[in-house]
Amino acid sequence: DILLNKLGTKTQIDTLCVEMYIALNTCGEESENNISKKSCKIVLNRAERLLQIDTLKENKFKYLEAKKTALSLLQEKEEFTKTVYQYLKLYPHNSLEGNLQLGIHFYARNETDSSNYYLNKTIALADSLLVSGNPEERTEAIVRKVASHMLLEENNIARNFISNQIQIEKSIKVRQTLAYIDDNFDSIEQELYDMIFEIGYSYGIV
């Protein structure tokens, strides 16, 4: 700590990042059910310090992800919930990803009405981006629209959308993404539900 105080901000950030990720790699190591609490505490300490000194939003996402992981392993459910909302607040207001993440986390908490609200908002926003001239924006919209339909148990709608979009999409890369989703629909859906199960476990729901 004394050494860190003498270093420039960028060097402090780099050093704290290295320490955080080293600890993160070890805090998940298990001996039967024994998780290294010391490493998790280091992750929390470094992440909190990084959040205070690093002003870049994209980096804050990474620090909060690390913090969520450590809190989940420590089963500190109240702090985990606070960190999730801190994470979600980083998204721009009414953004595509922000609405999807809210839908996912309310789904994991079994708050169906709130989850459906944000998932339907995601679909509406995605639909508005499908006419974008930017292929990356269309890809982002497609992926999040399909995920939202999956969680709303609207798989037929999702599959029909994919089939129709393949026919009208001009970008080869976007068509490849659509084809990949179509070919791997069931496994993608399973991965989505596995992720939600893990989030629900961290909340103490499952």
Side-chain angles (χ1 to χ4, degrees):
D1 286 354
I2 295 173
L3 176 60
L4 278 172
N5 289 334
K6 293 181 179 179
L7 298 174
T9 301
K10 186 180 184 307
T11 307
Q12 284 189 54
I13 290 171
D14 291 343
T15 303
L16 288 168
C17 269
V18 169
E19 292 177 353
M20 182 184 76
Y21 283 116
I22 289 173
L24 190 63
N25 285 334
T26 59
C27 75
E29 292 178 358
E30 300 183 29
S31 174
E32 296 179 351
N33 291 323
N34 181 34
I35 298 194
S36 173
K37 292 184 178 181
K38 183 177 180 181
S39 292
C40 287
K41 294 291 186 183
I42 291 172
V43 172
L44 295 177
N45 175 273
R46 300 305 187 266
E48 199 58 47
R49 291 167 68 180
L50 284 162
L51 287 165
Q52 292 172 6
I53 64 175
D54 193 342
T55 57
L56 292 176
K57 183 180 284 189
E58 57 266 33
N59 289 343
K60 289 182 182 291
F61 277 110
K62 297 174 186 177
Y63 307 147
L64 288 169
E65 280 285 3
K67 191 175 175 183
K68 284 195 299 176
T69 300
L71 289 169
S72 176
L73 290 167
L74 291 169
Q75 297 185 31
E76 294 186 12
K77 303 185 193 316
E78 186 175 337
E79 284 302 314
F80 175 84
T81 302
K82 290 179 183 177
T83 302
V84 167
Y85 284 106
Q86 189 180 359
Y87 179 89
L88 292 172
K89 284 180 181 179
L90 291 177
Y91 287 105
H93 175 67
N94 209 30
S95 69
L96 186 63
E97 182 63 17
N99 277 291
L100 177 58
Q101 290 298 325
L102 280 164
I104 286 171
H105 283 279
F106 281 120
Y107 189 104
R109 290 172 63 86
N110 291 330
E111 297 180 27
T112 305
D113 289 344
S114 294
S115 175
N116 290 352
Y117 173 78
Y118 286 107
L119 293 173
N120 280 304
K121 279 191 72 174
T122 303
I123 291 169
L125 285 167
D127 287 339
S128 71
L129 290 172
L130 290 173
V131 296
S132 168
N134 185 334
E136 290 184 2
E137 283 190 351
R138 295 200 302 277
T139 300
E140 182 181 346
I142 288 163
V143 170
R144 284 149 183 78
K145 177 179 171 69
V146 170
S148 297
H149 282 305
M150 285 177 173
L151 294 178
L152 289 167
E153 299 183 7
E154 298 173 345
N155 284 4
N156 287 338
I157 294 175
R159 288 183 184 275
N160 288 336
F161 161 71
I162 293 167
S163 298
N164 293 334
Q165 200 68 22
I166 287 175
Q167 300 302 316
I168 63 175
E169 178 56 55
K170 296 178 180 179
S171 166
I172 294 174
K173 283 189 175 181
V174 179
R175 285 204 305 271
Q176 288 174 338
T177 299
L178 284 159
Y180 177 83
I181 296 171
D182 195 30
D183 292 341
N184 298 277
F185 192 94
D186 291 338
S187 61
I188 291 170
E189 182 182 30
Q190 187 58 54
E191 288 175 11
L192 183 60
Y193 281 111
D194 287 346
M195 177 188 69
I196 288 173
F197 179 86
E198 290 180 9
I199 296 169
Y201 177 82
S202 299
Y203 279 128
I205 305 298
V206 292

